[in-house]
């Protein structure tokens, strides 16, 4: 007889093979048709909201894995908040202005076309380019399973946004934080624009390192001899060390530290003035021939007081020796070549000594006619020319290549220069703004906690923010000039008037007004600001645009405060590089306008790297295009990878890691499939009260509650890698390896409607519902797919898993029950080891072939086994140990005796089970005939 039809075999349409690339778009379509985000918002209307403000990615190029990681993290947080009873508010946004987009639009244009293209036409192309990628990105983000208000994103190019951005700028102007200055800033000759600190990356770079002579003037030489009469008539040179020879034409001083001691190194033909503490190192590096002992000891301040002047090697000027505390003894000579137009510290020193801010380099990084020595050359081309000139003049002491960290443009990846230009700045020093920013930082929760000190140190060392950019695609800096004056005029009332117009017509109005001054008739403030005798035709509008970090930095005002009526928000979440970017620009614009910090908490994640720790990039060949990866694996596998990695550090991605994650996903899916397959005929009305369930069924429920408690804590602390670990461990160990391995016998074999089976199903249903709910923030598509099955079985009522709220009130854990089962499973583990020894010998096949005798080590263990032998079949040792016969007793040492190392004193004897194999349940029983036609008594009771 075929007994298969008498078994309660699993049945479910939930497929073992996920086929995520095909199935996920079907679920996504269902979400879109049901407007799931808005349905959730409506259902949770009475609940308190969690507001995560989306940092806008650039609407530019294909989305890479790092951007996907960011969006998945945000979505997991939002969905975990839903699970824990909150409402959510998530409005995605895009940064639509700036250099990245403009470069993409112009990269295929010829140089002639770049010079001749009309500004309005260029801006039109940039706008279309940005909107095209907004649509592409939106599809990709939705494909990742990210829910939000996708039909109503915020775009920094919208007229309303631009208008509010100008109003926020007006607030900073009104408070006196914005000024125009001539100072050295980061400048990219390739992109032809100023850069902010957040747009600079540091990489290893090889520069020419040179020691150069600066000759003392005759008058200064006399002054020095008066202090040290032993000096003879040999020339005296101050020695400087530099890695930027191209800045020598802009030299305006040599700087010493006021407290360092300087001395003269005598050589056969000259004296060299350097810091005394660096003299031995200098002589060793340069192979200078020392001719006698060091002469004199002068502090930098003493030399400054002598009014010493020197002659730069490439100029006929005489420049002073000055003092500055930025000079160090780490490298060089303790005498620093000072070019105020090409260095920040040099610039600050120049302000103290009223030196010229001279920078003879144009926007393309080429020397102007103000530097006849190198006129027309690019700065890197000028280095070897200048070095040769120094050599020919006898002023070059030593040259070698020097590997060091150097600033590169974040966009074009090319070296930048420090170049003094007229720019617009936001001051962090006026009215103690920096102090208020630091105070605001301390009011925010930083996750991880080191984020607080990271941004504090950046703000502490920052004096201003360069907010002007020499581009066309962006929000114009609303300043104007009169006639040929280079002094820009900013007026808050004028900017407010402009904001009203821009809110309706957009910022193209500004660029039209550059060509048509009659458009300026609309400004009553402008007419009032004109000096006597000036006309509107004398007005020149500023051509520079605002830094794009200013664009995105005011989203807290333009979007959240005004449109959403939410301020501050609960969280900002971006990569750790945004401590110097969006987090900081948002803080400056908010606090500068008199507001509290725009965020209550800031969470940062690391970067995506390969198995060698290298950042994923096209140049290294390890770049991952997100859309391609989704087509390969589906979104849920990528989401599981994000959850499995600790986002607080860099997150490693490789094919090997992806393979492991895929296997983890497969195990979880198969576990859930087993649950669904064994509750197909269960109705909630059949649920067995927990107190009446079998002990093992109570154990797994308690085990789940312990896991659930840890998961809730992990969700609240954003520890998704801990959620992954607990879920993976519960599914793999507690459920699959223990409980389900034991329970499947009674699920399949026991009476269909009997207590043994319904008790088990009652626990399985509770776990299946909650397990699906807690997995859904991570495996969103799979969670919804499981939920659909549960709903069709009549086990849940919510239309979507994201409408379900997890009950966080966890009943007390039955510690006595858990302790008892810990001991039973300890014994089970030892029995499995004993059986495995016989299996390796080939004596037995399945564990059901076995008869097991255990000699308990003490009375407590004996009582435990005796109680188990008296229990119902599901709690009986035959079920727990999956054997055909079990008893306790004394065991004599001999063959097939296993002495437990885990439970000292316990002996286990394994032998072949007596009787024959039941054709229905596969247990051996003495009553079953040899031909196997009859079933065991247990099965006979079930089938009659």
């Amino acid at each position: 007889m075929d007994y298969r039809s008498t078994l309660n075999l699993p049945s479910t349409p939930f497929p073992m093979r996920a086929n995520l690339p095909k199935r996920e778009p079907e679920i996504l379509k269902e979400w879109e048709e049901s407007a799931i985000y808005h349905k959730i918002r409506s259902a949770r209307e009475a609940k308190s909201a969690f507001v995560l403000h989306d940092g806008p990615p650039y609407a530019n190029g294909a989305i890479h894995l790092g951007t996907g990681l960011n969006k998945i993290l945000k979505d997991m947080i939002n969905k975990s908040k839903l699970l824990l009873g909150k409402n959510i508010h998530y409005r995605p946004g895009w940064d639509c202005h700036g250099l990245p987009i403009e470069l993409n639009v112009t990269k295929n244009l010829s140089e002639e076309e770049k010079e001749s293209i009309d500004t309005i036409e260029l801006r039109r192309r940039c706008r279309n380019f940005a909107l095209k990628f907004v649509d592409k990105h939106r599809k990709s983000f939705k494909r990742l399973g990210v829910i939000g208000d996708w039909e109503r994103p915020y775009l920094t190019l919208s007229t309303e946004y631009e208008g509010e951005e100008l109003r926020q700028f007006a607030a900073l102007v009104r408070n006196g934080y914005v000024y125009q200055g001539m100072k050295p800033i980061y400048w990219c000759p390739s992109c032809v624009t100023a850069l902010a600190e957040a747009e600079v990356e540091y990489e290893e770079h090889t520069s020419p390192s040179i020691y150069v002579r600066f000759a003392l003037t005759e008058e200064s030489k006399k002054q020095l001899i008066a202090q040290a009469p032993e000096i003879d008539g040999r020339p005296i040179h101050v020695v400087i060390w530099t890695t930027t020879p191209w800045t020598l034409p802009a030299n305006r001083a040599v700087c010493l530290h006021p407290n360092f001691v300087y001395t003269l190194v005598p050589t056969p033909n000259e004296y060299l003035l350097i810091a005394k503490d660096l003299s031995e190192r200098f002589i060793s590096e340069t192979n200078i021939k020392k001719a006698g002992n060091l002469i004199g000891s002068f502090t930098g301040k003493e030399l400054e007081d002598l009014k010493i002047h020197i002659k730069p090697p490439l100029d006929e000027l005489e420049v002073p020796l000055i003092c500055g505390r930025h000079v160090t003894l780490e490298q060089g000579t303790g005498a620093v070549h000072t070019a105020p137009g090409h260095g920040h510290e040099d610039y600050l020193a120049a302000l103290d000594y009223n030196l010229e801010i001279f920078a003879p380099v144009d926007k393309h990084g080429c020397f102007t006619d103000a530097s006849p020595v190198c006129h027309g050359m690019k700065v890197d081309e000028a280095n070897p020319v200048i070095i040769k000139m120094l050599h020919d003049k006898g002023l070059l002491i030593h040259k070698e290549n020097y590997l060091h960290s150097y600033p590169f443009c974040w966009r074009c990846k090319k070296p930048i220069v420090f170049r003094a230009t007229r720019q617009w700045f936001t001051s962090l020093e006026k009215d103690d703004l920096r102090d208020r920013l630091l105070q605001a930082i301390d009011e925010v929760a930083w996750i991880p906690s080191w984020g607080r000190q990271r941004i504090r140190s950046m703000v502490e060392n920052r004096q201003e923010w360069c907010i002007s950019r020499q581009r066309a695609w962006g929000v114009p800096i609303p300043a104007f000039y009169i006639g040929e004056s280079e002094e820009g005029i900013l007026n808050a009332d004028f900017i407010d008037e402009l904001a009203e117009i821009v809110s309706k017509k957009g910022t193209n109005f500004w660029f039209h007004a550059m060509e048509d001054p009659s458009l300026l008739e609309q400004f009553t403030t402008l007419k009032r600001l004109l000096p006597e005798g000036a006309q509107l035709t004398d007005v020149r509008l500023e051509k520079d645009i605002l830094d794009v970090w200013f664009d995105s930095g005011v989203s807290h005002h333009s979007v959240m405060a005004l449109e959403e009526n939410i301020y501050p928000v609960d969280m900002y979440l971006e990569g750790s590089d945004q401590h110097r970017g969006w987090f900081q620009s948002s803080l400056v614009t908010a606090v500068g306008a008199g507001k509290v910090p725009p965020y209550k908490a800031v969470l940062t994640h690391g970067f995506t790297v390969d198995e060698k720790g290298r950042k994923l990039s096209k140049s290294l060949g390890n770049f991952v295009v997100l859309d391609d990866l989704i087509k390969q694996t589906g979104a849920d596998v990528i989401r599981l990878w994000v959850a499995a990695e600790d986002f607080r550090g860099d997150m490693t991605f490789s094919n090997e890691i992806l393979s492991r994650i895929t296997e983890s996903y497969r195990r979880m899916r198969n576990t859930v499939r087993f649950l669904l397959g064994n509750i197909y005929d269960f109705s909630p009305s059949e649920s067995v009260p927990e107190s009446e369930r079998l002990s093992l069924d109570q154990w797994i429920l308690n085990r789940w509650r312990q896991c659930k408690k840890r998961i809730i804590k992990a969700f609240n602390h954003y520890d998704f890698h801990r959620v992954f670990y607990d879920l993976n461990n519960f599914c793999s160990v507690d459920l699959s390896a223990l409980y389900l391995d034991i329970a499947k016998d009674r699920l399949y074999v026991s009476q269909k409607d009997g207590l043994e089976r319904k008790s088990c199903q009652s626990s399985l249903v509770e776990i299946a519902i909650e397990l699906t709910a807690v997995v859904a923030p991570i495996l969103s598509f799979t969670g919804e797919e499981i939920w659909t099955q549960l709903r069709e079985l009549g086990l849940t009522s919510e239309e979507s898993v994201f409408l379900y709220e997890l009950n966080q009130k966890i009943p007390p854990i039955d510690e006595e029950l858990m302790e008892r089962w810990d001991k039973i499973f300890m014994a089970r583990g030892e029995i499995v080891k004993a059986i495995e020894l016989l299996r390796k010998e080939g004596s037995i096949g399945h564990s059901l072939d076995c008869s097991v005798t255990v000699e308990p080590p003490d009375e407590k263990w004996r009582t435990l086994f005796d109680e188990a032998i008296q229990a119902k079949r599901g709690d009986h040792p035959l079920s727990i140990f999956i054997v055909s016969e079990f008893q306790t007793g004394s065991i004599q040492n001999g063959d097939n005796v296993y002495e437990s190392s885990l439970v000292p004193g316990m002996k286990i004897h394994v032998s072949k089970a007596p009787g024959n194999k039941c054709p229905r349940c596969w247990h051996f029983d003495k009553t079953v005939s040899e031909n196997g036609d009859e079933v065991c008594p247990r099965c006979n009771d079930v089938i009659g």
Side-chain angles (χ1 to χ4, degrees), residues 663-900:
E663 184 57 35
S664 294
Y665 171 83
R666 192 176 291 118
R667 286 198 300 269
M668 287 185 184
R669 184 178 183 90
N670 287 342
T671 300
V672 172
R673 186 172 185 271
F674 187 93
L675 298 182
L676 292 172
N678 283 283
I679 58 176
Y680 67 93
D681 60 344
F682 184 83
S683 167
S685 62
E686 299 175 301
S687 182
V688 177
E690 185 176 344
S691 61
E692 298 175 18
R693 294 178 198 174
L694 271 64
S695 179
L696 181 63
D697 301 330
Q698 295 179 39
W699 171 82
I700 191 62
L701 205 55
N702 275 263
R703 196 69 163 171
W704 165 245
R705 287 166 182 164
Q706 289 175 325
C707 179
K708 174 183 169 183
K709 186 176 181 179
R710 292 192 301 271
I711 287 173
I712 291 172
K713 181 180 179 181
F715 272 138
N716 281 322
H717 288 86
Y718 313 111
D719 290 332
F720 297 108
H721 63 294
R722 296 187 182 278
V723 176
F724 166 81
Y725 173 81
D726 278 318
L727 283 173
N728 193 48
N729 194 61
F730 180 77
C731 288
S732 299
V733 179
D734 297 324
L735 268 180
S736 295
L738 284 178
Y739 181 72
L740 296 179
D741 190 42
I742 296 168
K744 63 185 176 184
D745 174 70
R746 59 181 157 125
L747 285 170
Y748 298 170
V749 177
S750 297
Q751 188 73 39
K752 188 179 184 70
D753 298 324
L755 174 65
E756 288 181 5
R757 186 163 181 268
K758 290 304 174 184
S759 170
C760 180
Q761 286 182 314
S762 298
S763 290
L764 290 183
V765 167
E766 287 187 46
I767 292 170
I769 291 172
E770 292 199 333
L771 183 64
T772 304
V774 299
V775 85
I778 298 170
L779 301 176
S780 292
F781 291 105
T782 304
E784 193 72 285
E785 185 182 5
I786 300 167
W787 198 259
T788 299
Q789 297 294 317
L790 292 170
R791 192 173 72 250
E792 289 177 356
L793 290 173
L795 302 175
T796 60
S797 58
E798 292 83 2
E799 178 185 343
S800 166
V801 66
F802 302 114
L803 292 168
Y804 178 82
E805 183 177 337
L806 187 69
N807 186 355
Q808 297 181 63
K809 293 182 178 179
I810 300 174
I813 303 299
D814 188 334
E815 299 295 348
E816 184 178 340
L817 174 82
M818 302 307 286
E819 185 178 346
R820 176 175 176 273
W821 278 100
D822 283 346
K823 295 184 72 174
I824 292 175
F825 287 134
M826 188 185 302
R828 183 180 189 267
E830 295 298 272
I831 290 170
V832 167
K833 291 177 186 177
I835 292 174
E836 189 61 28
L837 292 175
L838 263 69
R839 196 197 313 273
K840 287 180 179 179
E841 294 175 2
S843 304
I844 59 167
H846 195 278
S847 63
L848 287 175
D849 298 348
C850 298
S851 171
V852 174
T853 302
V854 173
E855 181 179 321
D858 54 38
E859 196 59 37
K860 288 184 178 179
W861 275 99
R862 187 178 302 280
T863 301
L864 181 69
F865 285 127
D866 288 345
E867 289 175 351
I869 291 171
Q870 302 302 316
K872 291 184 176 66
R873 180 70 182 215
D875 292 334
H876 193 280
L878 297 181
S879 295
I880 305 304
F881 306 140
I882 315 179
V883 295
S884 289
E885 186 177 68
F886 177 86
Q887 58 267 324
T888 59
S890 297
I891 299 175
Q892 301 299 316
N893 290 336
D895 293 340
N896 301 334
V897 175
Y898 174 82
E899 295 192 27
S900 172

Side-chain angles (χ1 to χ4, degrees), residues 188-208:
C188 179
S190 300
C191 299
V192 196
T193 186
L195 300 175
E197 290 180 42
E199 298 168 320
V200 175
E201 297 174 342
Y202 285 84
E203 298 181 15
E204 292 293 293
H205 182 67
T206 300
S207 298

Side-chain angles (χ1 to χ4, degrees), residues 86 91 301 629 749:
K86 294 272 191 180
R91 185 178 173 192
K301 185 67 173 68
L629 188 60
V749 177

Side-chain angles (χ1 to χ4, degrees), residues 174-198:
R174 192 169 276 115
N175 290 339
Y177 295 124
V178 183
Y179 71 96
Q180 190 180 39
M182 177 76 172
K183 60 172 59 179
I185 44 89
Y186 296 112
W187 183 273
C188 179
S190 300
C191 299
V192 196
T193 186
L195 300 175
E197 290 180 42

Side-chain angles (χ1 to χ4, degrees), residues 154-224:
Y154 76 88
L155 307 176
T156 60
L157 58 65
S158 74
T159 57
E160 295 84 358
Y161 191 103
E162 291 176 332
E164 290 305 331
E165 181 177 342
L166 287 170
R167 289 188 181 93
Q168 193 76 353
F169 183 70
L172 295 181
V173 171
R174 192 169 276 115
N175 290 339
Y177 295 124
V178 183
Y179 71 96
Q180 190 180 39
M182 177 76 172
K183 60 172 59 179
I185 44 89
Y186 296 112
W187 183 273
C188 179
S190 300
C191 299
V192 196
T193 186
L195 300 175
E197 290 180 42
E199 298 168 320
V200 175
E201 297 174 342
Y202 285 84
E203 298 181 15
E204 292 293 293
H205 182 67
T206 300
S207 298
S209 157
I210 59 174
Y211 287 91
V212 183
R213 297 176 173 91
F214 278 55
L216 262 67
T217 63
E218 287 300 320
E219 183 61 34
S220 295
K221 181 179 175 182
K222 292 176 184 178
Q223 291 175 299
L224 200 57

Side-chain angles (χ1 to χ4, degrees), residues 180 422 424 479-482 485-490 542:
Q180 190 180 39
R422 190 173 290 276
W424 293 97
F480 59 89
Y481 303 82
I482 305 297
S485 172
E486 292 298 319
E487 296 297 324
I489 301 171
L490 281 176
E542 174 64 77

